[in-house]
């Protein structure tokens, strides 16, 4: 058995515990041709990939027409998962210090073995027991607990390039200090400071934990927010909302779900579904065996990106406050025209060999930044339950004078506190921006 | 010519001006069989009603499956208008008093002749000139004016029972006192106090003006809000958002657009499209001739409700603050599962002869309230550009002790200030609740 340590004096103690778990965790992820994936099949008419139960998710096609992207019209595969699951983090004070209950969890797409996931990370199929597995631990605290205090609770979107309007319920729930939480294998309590330490390391804090923590209402460092911060920035909240309304009002996103077989420029090799030039991503199949999961073995399709992405904020001090440059971004799966995104969010390899004018704005500013201007530069993974080895460089870069204060109609400067305030209201801030905000907030930075 | 009076010392002066305009306004609205409506036709395959240009709007069918209403599954006709128009009110100080520029405007569905509409009330087809009419007056102030200050700007939903995910951009724009606004026939400047007087009268302030004014950020009377009010209520804003997330998370709204010809229980008589029991509404056709509009004559379908509706808040003082009882309501056209609605919102005639348990909750509480408990009770119309004689009783009623503080999972008490704060973020508060909030805010009430 593993030692049942639930709190750590030092981050290094956690790292020992985590290394030990990684060493002893038994699991196997085996690539399998899509055509041979147990329980999954391509619909003979549409080519759509689906599970025999009709549950979990499907891979279908989508056609996009919009004037809001480099390309006006395209088709692509997309994951359709209409259910909203729960991503929930339990919070409790020990000796006056707030701790967060996280789980060292294996996901088949993780590039390493384990990453720290929220207390609960469950699709609706999970917690309504479609797969006949075990109950989801700690789920009861997020359903109708009598003594909890909800600190954050919003429906939040996930990767719009890969998911069709998907969202999950992000929750942070606080228990009173005298409430006993039964210990469970693989879970531990970490402080905010410890999580900040871990965010500086590659691929330890998983996507679901990062998105949930972006909703934590307090405490922000003084320069990043605080009560009443919503109008303290280059623009008032009313101006920011007006900018966002202006982006969305033309409703310039026309989207149609199409059969996967009709997606152009992509091909089903039998093994996998791939882009003909090797760009964007592939859909692959895997068999999974693992302990410590509700189900011990299963098979599933996964989306494997073609390269490592870049998710970056340009930042700048304006009137004594740090600001970040936010982009109103439309993606294939955007639920409502556009969401607020990082300054840059792309996979640079997708633009290899493309004309200069198609390169995403500010990408080269970020990639060529002098090291002295880089606040952080760390690799994190996207959700290992759907995405295979999907890594992104998360960066914050101090902008130089070449980046204007009025950066065009699709970019606007706001404070991290304003962005944090907006994300309470769902449908406003995309997952990449939320996760980058978590890094900006909790990661120990050079200038703090 | 009409006298060019643009401001009024007294509301009675305005009423004289308004009566004179009503008397002299020339217009004619003639019912026409749907089958004979100029420029409009039923698609031979689907039965959908559409204009020959494909613009403006269509009348189609929709099928709803949801556990969130009295009926689990139904089909109905619905107006599909994917464009977001602009509803905009210009604001300017004269002698230190804020004035609002409104227009006395004829709409074909108005039960009287003129109602006071926003400065600009234009569909996108209008202002992109599909119908080749004149330019929209004052539109330039809402597009990209150099000296304006935006006080409010949000995409807001409209009647979810009648429109499929329709929304309009609601804007309030302030000009500096020294900016000269050229006078125009039929427009006048009114103070908030004067608009409050008019809201106490039936059918003078139109729907579009009411919804825009719900976004006015200030001034709230002290008991109705003010800065920092968002957490001052029975529930904090975090709790209210969590309640709303809980309502939406099961995503219990499955909707499919269907051909109008497949809507069950409705029939096309040639003249009109009607419900077989005469409930809900009919789709009728009208020919319109009018002066003072961009186009002098046109034909269009309209939706004519079967009876007068009731739109009501129960209110209650909790901890020294007025609260209203808000309902999370799912409608056929809801863009995102549910929006915050008045305590009661229905057409009582639709429930005639129906079993007791199908009657909307709190309807009888409102209808049987002792007159001493009624804060206001006034009749206003819904949008006369799409709806024919669509009147609703707008009420606020002081609840008695029979209405609990915990009123079930679909109802929650909040302050008007909290509701006003939520409506800044689009997709949160439905048009009926917004319009009722405007009455609650501006109308002179007995207890103030």
């Amino acid at each position: 058995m593993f030692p049942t340590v639930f709190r750590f004096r030092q981050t290094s103690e956690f790292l020992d515990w985590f290394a030990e778990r990684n060493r002893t965790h038994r699991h196997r992820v085996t690539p399998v041709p899509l055509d041979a994936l147990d329980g999954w099949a391509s619909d003979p008419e549409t080519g759509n990939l689906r599970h025999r139960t009709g549950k979990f998710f499907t891979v279908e096609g989508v056609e996009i027409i919009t004037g809001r992207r480099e390309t006006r019209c395209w088709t692509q595969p997309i994951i359709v998962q209409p259910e909203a699951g729960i991503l929930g983090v339990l919070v409790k004070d020990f000796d006056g210090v707030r701790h967060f209950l996280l789980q060292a969890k294996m996901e088949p797409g993780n590039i390493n073995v384990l990453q720290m996931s929220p207390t609960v990370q469950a699709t609706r199929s999970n917690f309504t027991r479609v797969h006949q597995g075990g109950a989801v631990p700690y789920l009861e605290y997020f359903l109708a607990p009598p003594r909890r205090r909800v600190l954050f609770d919003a429906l939040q979107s996930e990767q719009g390039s890969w998911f069709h309007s998907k969202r999950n319920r992000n929750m942070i729930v606080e228990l009173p200090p005298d409430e006993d939480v039964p210990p469970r294998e693989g879970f531990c309590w970490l402080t905010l400071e410890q999580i900040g330490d871990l965010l500086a390391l590659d691929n330890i804090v998983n996507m679901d934990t990062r998105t949930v923590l972006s909703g934590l209402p307090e405490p922000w460092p003084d320069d990043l927010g605080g009560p009443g911060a919503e109008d303290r920035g280059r623009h008032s909240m009313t101006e920011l909302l007006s900018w966002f309304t202006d982006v969305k009002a033309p409703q310039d996103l026309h989207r149609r779900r199409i059969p996967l077989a009709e997606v152009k420029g992509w091909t089903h090799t039998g093994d996998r579904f791939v882009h003909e030039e090797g760009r964007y991503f592939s859909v692959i199949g895997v068999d999974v065996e693992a302990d410590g999961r509700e189900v011990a073995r299963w098979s599933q399709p996964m989306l494997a990106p073609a390269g490592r992405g870049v998710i970056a904020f340009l930042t700048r001090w304006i009137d004594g406050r740090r600001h970040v440059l936010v982009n109103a971004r439309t993606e294939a799966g955007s639920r409502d025209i556009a969401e607020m995104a990082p300054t840059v969010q792309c996979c640079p390899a997708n633009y290899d060999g493309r004309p200069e004018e198609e390169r995403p704005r500010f990408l080269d500013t970020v990639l060529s930044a002098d090291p002295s201007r880089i606040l952080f530069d760390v690799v994190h993974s996207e959700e290992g339950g759907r995405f295979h080895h999907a890594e992104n460089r998360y960066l914050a870069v101090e902008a130089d004078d070449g980046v204007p204060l009025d950066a065009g109609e699709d970019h606007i400067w706001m404070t991290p506190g304003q962005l944090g305030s907006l994300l309470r209201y769902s449908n406003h801030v995309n997952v990449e921006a939320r996760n980058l905000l978590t890094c900006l907030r909790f990661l120990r930075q050079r200038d703090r």
Side-chain angles (χ1 to χ4, degrees), chain A residues 49-228:
Chain A
L49 260 172
R50 59 189 292 278
H51 192 255
R52 63 168 164 247
T53 59
K55 296 273 180 179
F56 305 115
F57 61 91
T58 55
V59 182
E60 310 186 14
V62 67
E63 178 192 72
I64 310 297
I65 301 172
T66 178
R68 297 194 36 75
R69 288 294 294 271
E70 311 88 49
T71 307
R72 211 183 146 68
C73 177
W74 76 92
T75 59
Q76 66 164 78
I78 201 157
I79 301 175
V80 178
Q81 184 171 346
E83 300 175 338
I86 291 182
L87 307 179
V89 171
L90 266 193
V91 170
K92 196 180 125 160
D93 275 11
F94 293 91
D95 306 328
V97 179
R98 185 173 270 179
H99 283 68
F100 298 76
L101 186 62
L102 301 185
Q103 179 186 16
K105 189 170 186 179
M106 189 287 297
E107 292 282 6
N110 287 355
I111 200 159
N112 42 7
V113 183
L114 303 174
Q115 295 192 19
M116 297 308 292
S117 75
T119 317
V120 163
Q121 173 183 326
T123 63
R124 213 169 167 81
S125 294
N126 266 156
F127 65 78
T128 54
R129 316 284 292 279
V130 173
H131 54 37
Q132 308 287 320
V136 176
Y138 301 118
L139 179 64
E140 63 275 19
Y141 292 101
F142 298 91
L143 297 182
R147 298 183 71 218
R148 72 174 188 189
R149 187 166 78 98
V150 172
L151 300 183
F152 181 69
D153 188 2
L155 285 171
Q156 300 287 35
S157 63
E158 299 199 351
Q159 287 75 7
S161 300
W162 299 335
F163 279 123
H164 186 279
S165 295
K166 167 156 184 225
R167 53 187 180 183
N168 270 317
R169 184 173 186 175
N170 285 216
M171 299 180 83
I172 305 176
V173 168
E174 187 174 51
L175 296 174
D178 65 342
E179 172 105 9
D180 244 1
V181 178
R184 292 237 185 203
E185 181 66 38
F187 288 79
C188 65
W189 292 98
L190 294 170
T191 65
L192 261 194
E193 205 176 325
Q194 289 167 347
I195 294 173
D197 288 343
L198 300 181
L199 281 166
L201 304 172
D202 292 356
N203 293 322
I204 291 189
V205 180
N206 87 349
M207 180 199 101
D208 308 82
T209 302
R210 300 194 307 274
T211 169
V212 173
L213 290 182
S214 71
L216 192 72
E218 50 178 353
W220 284 80
D222 282 342
D223 61 337
L224 295 182

Side-chain angles (χ1 to χ4, degrees), chain A residues 236-394:
Chain A
S236 68
M237 185 54 77
T238 297
E239 287 166 348
L240 295 177
L241 288 168
S242 181
W243 165 79
F244 195 47
T245 300
D246 197 57
V247 162
K248 288 164 69 169
Q251 306 204 123
D252 186 8
L253 173 62
H254 305 274
R255 176 171 47 195
R256 195 166 61 94
R257 271 158 74 177
I258 59 174
L260 186 59
E262 288 179 17
V263 170
K264 293 182 199 80
W266 295 69
T267 186
H268 195 323
T269 65
D271 264 23
R272 41 171 65 196
F273 197 86
V274 296
H275 185 256
E276 286 168 0
E277 295 176 355
R279 295 185 200 267
Y280 310 119
F281 58 84
S282 307
V283 182
I284 64 170
V286 293
D287 280 347
V288 190
E289 291 174 81
D291 51 30
R293 292 288 303 234
E294 300 92 23
V295 178
R297 54 188 303 169
W298 73 93
S299 302
Q300 68 168 90
M302 303 203 82
L303 192 153
R308 183 182 279 183
V310 170
I311 291 176
F313 273 136
L314 286 175
T315 84
R316 185 165 174 160
W317 291 86
I318 303 172
D319 299 333
R321 295 183 177 277
R322 183 178 291 294
H323 282 63
V324 294
L325 186 57
V326 170
N327 175 217
R329 184 172 171 87
T330 295
E331 298 178 288
S334 295
R335 176 174 285 269
D336 190 12
I337 322 287
E339 289 194 0
M340 299 184 196
T343 319
V344 173
Q345 168 191 329
C346 72
C347 175
N350 291 339
Y351 298 91
D352 285 351
R354 290 283 168 86
E356 188 63 25
E357 65 272 16
E358 285 185 14
R359 275 181 86 75
R361 220 174 147 206
F362 301 119
L363 173 59
D364 295 324
T365 311
V366 166
L367 295 183
S368 66
D370 186 275
S372 69
R373 291 184 172 277
I374 297 175
L375 298 181
F376 60 83
D377 181 359
V378 59
V379 173
H380 289 301
S381 294
E382 305 313 303
E383 181 21 279
R386 295 288 172 271
F387 308 123
H388 191 263
H389 297 188
E391 291 184 313
N392 283 296
R393 270 177 78 186
Y394 281 71

